[in-house]
Amino acid sequence: MSEHRQPGPADRSPTVADVLALPVLATGDPRVVTGAEHLDRPVRWVHVTELTDPASFLKGGELLLTTGMPLPDDPAGVRRYVDELAAVGAAALVIELVRRYHRPPDALVRACRAHGLPLVTLARDVNFLEVTQVVHTLIVGHQADAIHRTQRVHEAFTALTLRGAGPEEVLRAAAEMSGRTVVLENLVHLALLCAPSGTSVRAALTDWERRSRTTPATDRAGLSGPEGWLAAPVEYQGERWGRVVMLPAAFRGRSLGPEDVTVLERTAMALTIARLTHPTPWERTAHRDALRDLVEQRHRSPADARARVAALGLPVEHARFIAVLADLPSEQDSGAAETRLSEELTATGARALVGLLSPTRLGVLLALRPSRPWREAVERLSRTALDAAPGATVSAGAPAEDLADVTRSFREAARVAEATEPGRALPSGRSFHERGDIGLRRLLYALGDDPRVQEYAERRLGPLLDHDARHGTDLVATLRGYLDAAGNKTVAARSAGLSRETVYQRLRTIERLLGRDLESGEQRTELHVALHAVDALRAHPVTRPGPATDEFSPRPGS
């Protein structure tokens, strides 16, 4: 092992234990007499001293090397000597047992033990000058490395700020630089964003509000609370918006230190700038991210999802969940509708996540007591959405009894929305669509992009549609009336205002053009489905080829 190799991790100063492990000291056969529990103290400098009052020249953090020659003879003097070293914050006292002493004086041992000051004895001669050179090289090297690392931190956050990074990117960068989990919370102790590192979201956020409330706020970056969180306020011109927290990770083998403080301070500064330059409130961003993670199942585990949602204030126990989608008429309505809906739900005490899933699709996850009628709650929500964005289409999925089943509820709501034509009439007293509303026509409308549906309709009815187009006839209307009358020619003639003979003649023409037997119940059913498919395709918006969209994004024109 090289004597100039830095002992311990490269991201901290050498400790007393590190210095004692150096070959230049190990040759003296060091033995820890007292203060073994404090060998993790950082060593700021090394002093060789033969003074009777060395404390007057110290600033704290020094490791003292002495032959023992200056120690007072009387116990009171020894106590005073150690009291002064402890008061100034000396890291450790190393005494060589070669010249004056061959065992440490009892008074020295008692005094060091009383203060928890590490007392180390050396059984053999050690070159003190060489010790100072080696340790000082390590310390200066560490300080230079620390300066370089701090500079890299500043440069990284400056780059984030210049490119307009949002709060999520800022937190991820902080977690990567520090190797710690970083959390952004608001003033009411809801965890808005979490960037985990070396732990799960569940471990970081479980019981968040209670833990946060036991961690007092600080005016600047510093350690706080029973868990030893490193916290910093996020504020601008005296207005505090929340705080950013770096969680300790004792298993990593190092405590939170000055470089972590630097990272957290720059994180808080970058978040302040992001808040000023990004108009979307953090709460909205948090809800959007949480909803998208749920509907796309991006959580690493159901436990992580539960912890994340609970940290945002949503109950996850003894609740059932309803997914609601509001497809807005235009992108211009989205921000106002999102804000209005969120404010209304908050004002009524509803527990929900509200956020945009796409530029014109608003997602809501309602958490209700199991005994509460869910349609009543969705109806109230739907009317609020329609007030905020007239012309919107609101769709609901079936209730989910557990958070893990929420994706299914959102998928159902998306399929209901896909099967809903713009302006589709609703049952009396209801302003939203649900799964039970989907009939044959709505199913065919949802499948309108499928070439197989288009090919089926054209194969069954194409010759008739072509004939009407070429000759100006309306045989399709006659066929529709006949099929709607369940094959009753008399009813069909009366409904169309035609004679029975005229209807008979037209039906024979239709059979000839289509090659079908209209007396066959099965063939009538096939033609009836084809007519519904044509109607649905005509109502369906024309979509141009382009990038694929996921099922939670509204189809164009809806």
Side-chain angles (χ1 to χ4, degrees), residues 45-213:
W45 208 243
V46 176
H47 276 303
V48 179
T49 180
E50 301 299 344
L51 299 174
T52 57
D53 59 343
S56 60
F57 298 93
L58 305 180
K59 295 183 178 179
E62 294 87 355
L63 183 142
L64 272 72
L65 302 172
T66 181
T67 61
M69 299 299 292
L71 281 179
D73 292 324
D74 58 306
V78 172
R79 285 196 305 271
R80 185 167 56 253
Y81 180 92
V82 175
D83 289 346
E84 292 175 356
L85 292 182
V88 81
L93 176 63
V94 179
I95 181 171
E96 190 180 71
L97 303 179
V98 176
R99 292 169 177 81
R100 182 177 178 184
Y101 298 107
H102 296 287
R103 56 186 295 273
D106 292 340
L108 181 64
V109 173
R110 288 194 300 270
C112 289
R113 182 175 292 120
H115 286 288
L117 178 68
L119 172 63
V120 180
T121 61
L122 298 175
R124 290 191 291 273
D125 266 329
V126 168
N127 187 327
F128 284 174
L129 179 59
E130 189 176 357
V131 172
T132 62
Q133 289 175 335
V134 171
V135 178
H136 290 171
T137 299
L138 292 175
I139 293 172
V140 172
H142 163 75
Q143 291 172 344
D145 289 343
I147 290 171
H148 292 152
R149 287 193 296 271
T150 299
Q151 183 178 357
R152 288 196 294 271
V153 168
H154 287 301
E155 290 172 350
F157 278 106
T158 298
L160 286 171
T161 300
L162 289 176
R163 72 166 179 262
E168 306 97 324
E169 190 177 357
V170 170
L171 249 66
R172 282 197 300 271
E176 290 171 3
M177 290 181 206
S178 64
R180 311 280 188 174
T181 294
V182 183
V183 180
L184 172 66
E185 69 170 13
N186 65 7
L187 295 177
V188 293
H189 302 275
L190 297 182
L192 304 180
L193 297 171
C194 175
S197 179
T199 187
S200 65
V201 172
R202 176 189 182 187
L205 296 185
T206 295
D207 199 19
W208 178 266
E209 183 177 350
R210 182 197 62 78
R211 293 161 60 207
S212 177
R213 290 186 180 278

Side-chain angles (χ1 to χ4, degrees), residues 351-368:
R351 310 295 285 276
L353 297 179
V354 181
L356 287 169
L357 299 177
S358 77
T360 58
R361 172 162 283 180
L362 188 60
V364 182
L365 179 63
L366 280 174
L368 305 175

Side-chain angles (χ1 to χ4, degrees), residues 297-308:
Q297 294 184 302
R298 295 190 302 205
H299 289 288
R300 298 176 69 177
S301 70
D304 278 6
R306 292 169 70 86
R308 171 84 179 280

